[in-house]
Amino acid sequence: MPHAFAPPPAPLGASRAVAPRVSEIRAQLHFDAEAAEARAVATVEFATGDFDGKPALDLRQELLWVRLDSKNISTDAFAPLDLGAGWESRTRVLDVDLPAGSHHRLEVGYELGTPDAEGAKPIGWTKGGVDFDFWMSDLHPGRYLEMWVPAPLVHDRFALHLDITLDGVDRPHKLLANTAAVDATPGGRHWSLVYPAHYTALSPMLIMAPAERLETRRSAVRVAGRSRSLGLVVAQLDDAGADLAACEADLRAWLSYLASRYEPWAHGDTFWAVLWGSTRGMEYDGATTSSVSALEHEVFHSWFGRGVKPARASDGWIDEALAAWSTSSRRSEHPRFLTEELGLDQPPVELYPPHPWSRHTPAAAYSDGPRLIGGIAHLMGGADRMRAALADWYRANAGKMVTTDGLAAHLKAWSGLDIGPWWARYVHGRD
Ligand SMILES: [Zn+2]
């Protein structure tokens, strides 16, 4: 079956790199706190798509060995290549030509260290303990699951099984992940978990730390559109210094408000929020890791950003433009629901990186993005009309993938306005 959002084949000498369809990824992550070393073994089940070629799957770790369909191949035959979107957007490509529509199994063994990607964090080794966080980001290529486990680009959905073992730790650890399917062995040193099969590489959250460093509160909140209440897990690492009860109260209010305003909750039976000492935040499917000040922005992403998901990394600007426009943040340059005329005489802005193998959200999405939404809200006759249009767009697409063209078509159809010139200038950077 063709995959509508997969990037087209990228020329590679006489051959080409192609996006595979991944069905399942299984990985064993083994942490040895005494040696301050970690290793992993991963198996990826995939099919090639509509094209013959060399499959591209990324992993930002040092390889020890590689097997394709039970045969050893050289680690050099799974090396990172620039497919035209720049070196930062490089991806590993299997140097084996595979026929279209065939099924394969890739197995890799690797050292687990600091991922080879801008802004990635090392594994935190402490005496007798381990601090580990997927620490994903939209801002730099290679900062999704592929930091730790071989993974496809964000258009692909797959089941992810993880088996995590800790050795050399002298106290129980706690693991928080945005899936109900976690088996924890008593003692806090071994977990086996499965994430839902509709997740993509930007969906799974994982935090692991010594149990005494993680304070957790559990409650439930009633939200519109659900017959059962939604579970709420709020946790903080000991460097967050947050008032957890106050954060829980705010989260309950935001979840209830967003579910009433935009409907339906597109995730599982629980929302997870983990507060940390960092000033930044990151959204996952029905979950976030966040500073206290970014919390409202991150909860909003469970609707716009992870409730409707970017079909390609280049569509990720939408998430930040809408979140920055709709929520209040100390760091935002614009007031919530900005409504202000935006002429066609301002410098062009590129929010959508044009190369099909691009893999990041430009930082301008946080500043020029809400400015654009505010300008279109002005054209449409006010913030309320923009919010109603966004609510309709969300309801029509909840749980699905969304695109930049799709949002433009919706806003145009909803309002009857030709927003094309604004989109061309302030999304695609055309003069
Ligand atoms: Zn955001």
Side-chain angles (χ1 to χ4, degrees), residues 60-146:
R60 297 298 181 107
Q61 296 285 340
E62 200 77 44
L63 300 178
L64 295 171
W65 54 264
V66 183
R67 271 200 291 268
L68 180 65
D69 298 329
S70 307
K71 287 193 196 82
N72 289 322
I73 60 172
S74 151
T75 54
D76 293 343
F78 189 36
L81 297 177
D82 175 2
L83 299 183
W87 179 244
E88 240 204 315
S89 288
R90 66 191 174 279
T91 175
R92 288 183 186 273
V93 179
L94 276 165
D95 191 16
V96 181
D97 275 291
L98 298 177
S102 54
H103 289 259
H104 303 276
R105 172 179 292 176
L106 172 72
E107 295 164 277
V108 288
Y110 50 100
E111 308 264 12
L112 204 60
T114 306
D116 184 14
E118 180 83 23
K121 257 204 336 189
I123 297 168
W125 301 109
T126 54
K127 198 173 167 350
V130 185
D131 294 312
F132 183 64
D133 179 348
F134 275 169
W135 188 252
M136 292 188 190
S137 169
D138 300 314
L139 294 175
H140 302 288
R143 288 290 306 280
Y144 295 135
L145 183 63
E146 65 273 18

Side-chain angles (χ1 to χ4, degrees), residues 135-333:
W135 188 252
M136 292 188 190
S137 169
D138 300 314
L139 294 175
H140 302 288
R143 288 290 306 280
Y144 295 135
L145 183 63
E146 65 273 18
M147 276 192 289
W148 309 106
V149 172
L153 299 184
V154 303
H155 62 277
D156 208 3
R157 300 177 191 267
F158 51 85
L160 173 64
H161 302 242
L162 296 179
D163 192 81
I164 298 176
T165 326
L166 303 185
D167 271 336
V169 296
D170 59 11
R171 68 203 103 149
H173 282 55
K174 225 189 243 180
L175 180 143
L176 284 170
N178 55 342
T179 171
V182 182
D183 278 336
T185 306
R189 287 164 170 80
H190 177 234
W191 300 264
S192 165
L193 51 155
V194 187
Y195 292 91
H198 62 265
Y199 275 18
T200 72
L202 50 65
S203 301
M205 178 186 82
L206 183 86
I207 307 277
M208 184 177 72
E212 83 253 12
R213 286 203 55 211
L214 263 172
E215 178 194 355
T216 308
R217 288 176 69 96
R218 287 169 193 275
S219 61
V221 54
R222 291 207 65 83
V223 298
R226 279 180 62 91
S227 52
R228 283 185 293 171
S229 52
L230 181 67
L232 174 59
V233 175
V234 193
Q236 69 169 328
L237 286 157
D238 56 7
D239 62 351
D243 176 341
L244 215 52
C247 290
E248 186 186 83
D250 284 343
L251 284 164
R252 296 167 70 90
W254 289 320
L255 288 164
S256 159
Y257 153 67
L258 289 166
S260 299
R261 186 68 184 85
Y262 299 109
E263 294 173 28
W265 173 251
H267 310 286
D269 290 334
T270 304
F271 178 84
W272 288 267
V274 182
L275 281 302
W276 58 20
S278 165
T279 54
R280 63 180 289 257
M282 184 62 196
E283 64 276 17
Y284 299 94
D285 287 33
T288 178
T289 44
S290 179
S291 63
V292 174
S293 65
L295 205 47
E296 185 196 355
H297 174 113
E298 303 305 336
V299 175
F300 182 85
H301 277 315
S302 264
W303 276 261
F304 296 90
R306 297 298 177 265
V308 292
K309 285 196 187 74
R312 313 171 191 92
S314 296
D315 297 303
W317 72 271
I318 296 172
D319 315 354
E320 301 312 336
L322 298 184
W325 185 74
S326 304
T327 63
S328 129
S329 158
R330 258 185 275 154
R331 291 197 288 169
S332 174
E333 298 166 26

Side-chain angles (χ1 to χ4, degrees), residues 392-410:
D392 283 347
W393 180 67
Y394 176 79
R395 277 192 286 272
N397 291 288
K400 298 183 191 156
M401 295 193 178
V402 292
T403 64
T404 298
D405 287 349
L407 177 57
H410 171 79

